[in-house]
C-alpha cells in the first residue's frame, strides 16, 4: 500500500538499501531529509554524486582516494617496504590516528568469511600479492582477532610464504579485544597491539607472544 506518494516512497526505498537500515529507520531518514532546509538536502545529494564521481581506489594500496596514488603511497616520508594489511579504510584511518606507524597500507575491503559467502577472490588479496617483491621488508597483518580476521591472516601468510619466501610476516598482538572492531578500539590499544606484533611462522599455527 502506497501511503506517501511516489517520491517519498522512492526515497524510503533508497534509504532502505543502505546497510543496517531497516524499514522504520528508512522512513525516519526520508522524513528527516524532507524536513531539512532545501539547500541542505541539495548539498547532501550533491556530495553523494561528487564522492561517487571522484573517489576511486588507489592503484597501489586499494584505499579510497581522490588522487592516485593516494597521499600515503605517494609520500617519500613513508617506508614503502613495510605494508600493513587492514580490513577497511576505517581501520586504516584508526591506525593513522595513532601516529605510530610510518609504513604504507593495503586495504582488503573485507575479510574471508565462508559463512557470508566471501571468498579470497572477493577481497583485494590478489592486489596485495602483486605488490610484494624482494624489497618488501615486512607485511603486518592487522585485522582484528575475530574468526574471519584470523582466517584471512593465515590465508595471506601461507600465500606469502609460498610466493615470497623471506618476507617477514607478522600479526598484531592480541591487545585488540576479541571480536572488537578496530575502529572502536582506542588509539593507545592499537599502538600497543602494533608494537607487540609477532612474526607468523607459516606452516604452523602462529606462535604466541613470549609474555603470554
Ligand atoms: Zn595508496
Amino acid at each position: 500500500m502506497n501511503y506517501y506518494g511516489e517520491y517519498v516512497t522512492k526515497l524510503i526505498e533508497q534509504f532502505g538499501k543502505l546497510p543496517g537500515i531497516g524499514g522504520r529507520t528508512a522512513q525516519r531518514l526520508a522524513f528527516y531529509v524532507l524536513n531539512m532546509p532545501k539547500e541542505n538536502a541539495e548539498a547532501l545529494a550533491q556530495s553523494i554524486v561528487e564522492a561517487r564521481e571522484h573517489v576511486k581506489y588507489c592503484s597501489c594500496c586499494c584505499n579510497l582516494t581522490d588522487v592516485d596514488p593516494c597521499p600515503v603511497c605517494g609520500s617519500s616520508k613513508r617506508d614503502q617496504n613495510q605494508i600493513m594489511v587492514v580490513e577497511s579504510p576505517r581501520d586504516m584511518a584508526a591506525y593513522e590516528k595513532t601516529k605510530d606507524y610510518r609504513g604504507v597500507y593495503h586495504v582488503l575491503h573485507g575479510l574471508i568469511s565462508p559463512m557470508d559467502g566471501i571468498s579470497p577472490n572477493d577481497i583485494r588479496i590478489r592486489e596485495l600479492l602483486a605488490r610484494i617483491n624482494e624489497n618488501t621488508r615486512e607485511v603486518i597483518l592487522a585485522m582484528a582477532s575475530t574468526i574471519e580476521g584470523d582466517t584471512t591472516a593465515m590465508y595471506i601468510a601461507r600465500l606469502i610464504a609460498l610466493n615470497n619466501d623471506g618476507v617477514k610476516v607478522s600479526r598484531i598482538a592480541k591487545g585488540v579485544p576479541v571480536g572488537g572492531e578496530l575502529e572502536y578500539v582506542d588509539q593507545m590499544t592499537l599502538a600497543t597491539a602494533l608494537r607487540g606484533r609477532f612474526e607468523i611462522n607459516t606452516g604452523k599455527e602462529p606462535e604466541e607472544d613470549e609474555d603470554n
Side-chain angles (χ1 to χ4, degrees):
M1 187 79 183
N2 190 342
Y3 301 105
Y4 304 122
E6 184 192 344
Y7 294 106
V8 178
T9 303
K10 226 199 264 178
L11 187 57
I12 293 171
E13 275 171 17
Q14 292 304 321
F15 278 120
K17 289 177 185 170
L18 298 176
I21 306 288
R24 289 165 75 95
T25 309
Q27 283 190 22
R28 199 160 51 81
L29 289 171
F31 294 136
Y32 182 82
V33 166
L34 290 170
N35 283 317
M36 276 171 138
K38 194 159 178 267
E39 333 57 279
N40 293 13
E42 280 168 359
L44 173 64
Q46 186 69 17
S47 59
I48 292 173
V49 172
E50 282 175 358
R52 197 62 192 79
E53 180 78 26
H54 298 290
V55 177
K56 43 187 168 282
Y57 294 106
C58 172
S59 58
C60 182
C61 71
C62 303
N63 189 30
L64 296 171
T65 177
D66 301 355
V67 289
D68 192 18
C70 74
V72 174
C73 291
S75 168
S76 58
K77 296 199 178 97
R78 307 294 295 236
D79 179 352
Q80 303 289 331
N81 298 319
Q82 187 181 36
I83 303 173
M84 186 196 290
V85 183
V86 293
E87 175 185 350
S88 71
R90 292 176 308 180
D91 290 349
M92 172 181 166
Y95 276 108
E96 277 298 271
K97 278 189 211 146
T98 68
K99 299 192 166 55
D100 210 45
Y101 178 66
R102 304 311 301 161
V104 293
Y105 295 89
H106 190 87
V107 183
L108 292 174
H109 296 281
L111 296 173
I112 299 170
S113 175
M115 293 275 283
D116 301 312
I118 303 171
S119 79
N121 287 333
D122 296 321
I123 60 176
R124 306 297 183 108
I125 292 178
R126 212 177 303 119
E127 290 85 347
L128 170 66
L129 294 175
R131 64 187 284 213
I132 296 173
N133 58 38
E134 67 277 10
N135 294 323
T136 309
R137 212 176 64 250
E138 182 180 13
V139 176
I140 303 168
L141 301 171
M143 304 71 116
S145 298
T146 55
I147 292 173
E148 292 83 9
D150 289 340
T151 305
T152 308
M154 282 317 292
Y155 182 87
I156 292 173
R158 292 208 171 105
L159 277 180
I160 295 175
L162 274 176
N163 297 304
N164 302 85
D165 197 22
V167 172
K168 180 179 170 190
V169 179
S170 55
R171 183 87 172 94
I172 53 165
K174 307 216 171 173
V176 179
V178 173
E181 291 202 36
L182 290 183
E183 195 191 353
Y184 300 114
V185 176
D186 70 83
Q187 292 171 22
M188 188 66 103
T189 309
L190 272 190
T192 307
L194 180 56
R195 280 193 220 112
R197 66 186 182 273
F198 54 92
E199 196 164 346
I200 291 185
N201 196 350
T202 45
K204 293 190 247 165
E205 289 304 302
E207 282 169 36
E208 292 296 323
D209 262 348
E210 279 150 41
D211 344 12
N212 286 350

